Amino acid sequence: MSTTTELLKGAAELFPDEVVTQAHVRHLDLPALPNSGSAAGGRFALITLDNGLDHTKPTTFGPQSLANLNAAIDQVEAEAKDGSIVGVGITGKPFIFAVGADLKGVELLKKHEEALAIGKGGHDVFKRLSSLAVPTFAYYNGAAMGGGVEVGLHCTYRTVSKAIPAFSLPEVFLGLVPGWGGCTLLPNIIGADRAVSVIIENSLNQNRQLKGKQVFELGIADALFEGADFLEQSLLWTASVLKGDTEVVRAEVDRGEAWDRAVERGRAFADSKVHGAAPAAYRALDIIAAAKNGDLRQGFDAEDQALADLIMGGELRSGIYAFNLVQKRGKRPAGAPDKSLARPVNKVGVVGAGLMASQLALLFARRLEVPVVLTDIDQERVDKGVAYVHGEIDKLLLKGRINQDKANRLKAAVTGSLDKAAAFGDADFVIEAVFEEMGVKQQVFAEVEAVVPETAILATNTSSLSVSEMASKLKHPERVVGFHFFNPVAILPLLEIVRGERTDDAALATAFGVAKKLKKTAVLVKDAPAFVVNRILVRFMGEIQNVIDEGTPVAVAEKAVEPLGLPMSPLVLLELVGPAIGLHVSETLAGAFPDRFKVSPNLAAVVKAGKRGFYVYDSGKPELDPEVAALLQQGDVVLTEEQVRDRVMDAVAEEIGLMLQEGVVAEAQDIDLCLITGAGWPFHLGGVTPYLDREGVSERVNGKRFLPQGVASVPA
């Protein structure tokens, strides 16, 4: 038995529930080239990766799947040696090439040597494709990620379909490195600069995907074909290459200073995103840097070690946990009523025509494709809101995101009116996005209830006010539901769906049904002050503000939380949210929980002075605004960065513990899902509770972990 077979057999025993991918070998005669005078281009072996399920269950590589591919390569290797085939191709099932390692198996690994075996097993199988006695071809026919991309990099040539929607090396995003050849081979194929863009930048930009055309333009693939007859055209091209009629010319890779500059650019980018908090990007860059000498074996060994180290680290386990939250829990919300109770929504009303309301109108029109009517207190506001939506539709048209016919239909669907009765008389779902003041919202709902059908759902986009109190004066409070979006609406996926004290299942089910059509991640939330994200962020940012008020310099307080690798610093986030909104939410929470939340006098002074934030950007970088500095009244208690970080994270752990006791959400997993999708907190933190567990904060503050050992961590 070969070493590779032994490795894979041992790994397969650890992962008995693997969804196994088969590697089917079939033979065909390559098509004759036009005008070649030849009957055929030679006998060709085509390996098809297929797990036997449809495209909704993408093909992955677990240990048994790798063993199956290894056996297929045994067969074609023998055929190549005896001259019975002229080449070998590898492709996938319809719409899917392969999407990499099966992460469910990675979660089960407990020992470093087990993790090392996974890295070596993948390398040992994939690199055989580059050492066959005949040329090898990868045909990227559908979605390709991670190991799916890497198996193709080991081939002599690659083609890609124009129809591919997603192609990436997402490992760094999850807390890994492309460890089956990606870090070593890709820079040697397309150069270090482009490789850094794919491996580091795209991953850390929320796992940005490439389309087929981009894959070709980057030089990852040698030819680009239409999706409809992709395999047929790829085989024609293959025959042409094998006959020598088509010469594949690749750009020469610059192995001089350009390589070093690319790696340094990658390090600077990683610093800007994770601030040294997550090791994966830096390990990947080390391997890319070393790959400059073209020594593939050295690179593969380094990938094996990096994979094993990272698999046994908390960041990867948190990354997989976060990925599963978004892909699974986010699509099956905990506590959602039976979807059969949902009412149809054929028309939407939006109360308000400001920026938030206009963003909502655009989203409803695009996703639901139903009429949307905005109202406001005067015609000028209404006209401005409708004009904003129409302008955004025009931008989508200019970018090629929609065609002219779709643009015309969307514009026609979004209208405005001052008359609520005319606007909402036949609406099924009306959402308010007006000033965040209880009396105003209660008045709006009273006016809307008087004119809408009895079956209409009334939704509020409030960020912190009580949904129950808002509905308390209505005849039918059971149809009021919280529907809290996050800004910018088009980008952040989270939708906090709030059940008031009297909200019924039909209203709730309708809200979840609408959320799904809007392509949002919906989380069921109890009607508690500031719900989930804002409550945690205000406690987090409030503690930063507290230490500043007490005397710690602004720069020290901000830098203290850099090791978390958050998307932006607390005060930059405050600027994005708006100091006035931040002050309002902190006042709401201070009223509800005065023992833990304070209203910062310095923040109040900044808002009173009309400042948009704490910083100015004259140099291109955030610097404390001298006018704000003059406003600050600070005490004489100066903390170190470590002291600030401990205090802030202790506060967050305490607040989450209390929220779970109160039943604000079903489980800690929902807290993490909210922070990932509503606040952009990174996957390597797992949201936040895995980080608090890993750093010992949970037990220090609450006396216990938020998650069991083995969930977002290495199994005991």
Side-chain angles (χ1 to χ4, degrees), residues 494-506:
L494 180 64
L495 190 49
E496 289 179 337
I497 294 184
V498 187
R499 182 169 207 156
E501 290 175 5
R502 297 176 66 180
T503 304
D504 66 19
D505 282 352

Side-chain angles (χ1 to χ4, degrees), residues 272-448:
S272 74
K273 289 291 187 178
V274 300
H275 310 286
Y282 304 99
R283 292 294 294 265
L285 286 162
D286 288 345
I287 299 168
I288 293 170
K292 180 179 177 180
N293 63 12
D295 185 336
L296 300 186
R297 181 171 180 174
Q298 173 188 310
F300 294 166
D301 288 345
E303 288 175 355
D304 289 340
Q305 286 299 327
L307 269 184
D309 292 346
L310 292 168
I311 284 172
M312 300 312 294
E315 288 81 5
L316 171 68
R317 305 298 173 129
S318 294
I320 295 173
Y321 164 81
F323 181 81
N324 288 335
L325 287 181
V326 172
Q327 294 298 317
K328 296 176 183 176
R329 193 177 185 93
K331 293 174 181 176
R332 292 187 288 276
D338 191 307
K339 61 184 178 182
S340 67
L341 298 172
R343 295 171 184 160
V345 174
N346 297 310
K347 183 178 180 181
V348 172
V350 181
V351 186
L355 180 59
M356 189 66 175
S358 301
Q359 289 184 73
L360 296 181
L362 176 64
L363 181 69
F364 278 101
R366 286 193 69 196
R367 298 290 188 228
L368 268 61
E369 297 187 350
V370 299
V372 178
V373 186
L374 296 104
T375 66
D376 213 311
I377 58 174
D378 59 53
Q379 193 64 46
E380 183 181 354
R381 284 182 170 87
V382 171
D383 291 344
K384 186 177 179 182
V386 173
Y388 170 86
V389 177
H390 287 189
E392 292 300 302
I393 293 168
D394 285 335
K395 289 178 186 177
L396 293 169
L397 177 63
L398 285 172
K399 292 176 182 176
R401 303 272 296 277
I402 57 175
N403 59 29
Q404 185 67 59
D405 180 58
K406 183 72 174 283
N408 293 342
R409 282 188 284 115
L410 287 175
K411 284 185 178 181
V414 180
T415 58
S417 174
L418 286 176
D419 185 342
K420 287 188 176 67
F424 303 151
D426 57 348
D428 303 303
F429 191 96
V430 178
I431 184 167
E432 69 76 22
V434 299
F435 184 66
E436 191 79 346
E437 201 278 318
M438 182 59 74
V440 174
K441 291 183 183 287
Q442 286 180 331
Q443 180 184 342
V444 162
F445 270 155
E447 293 171 0
V448 171

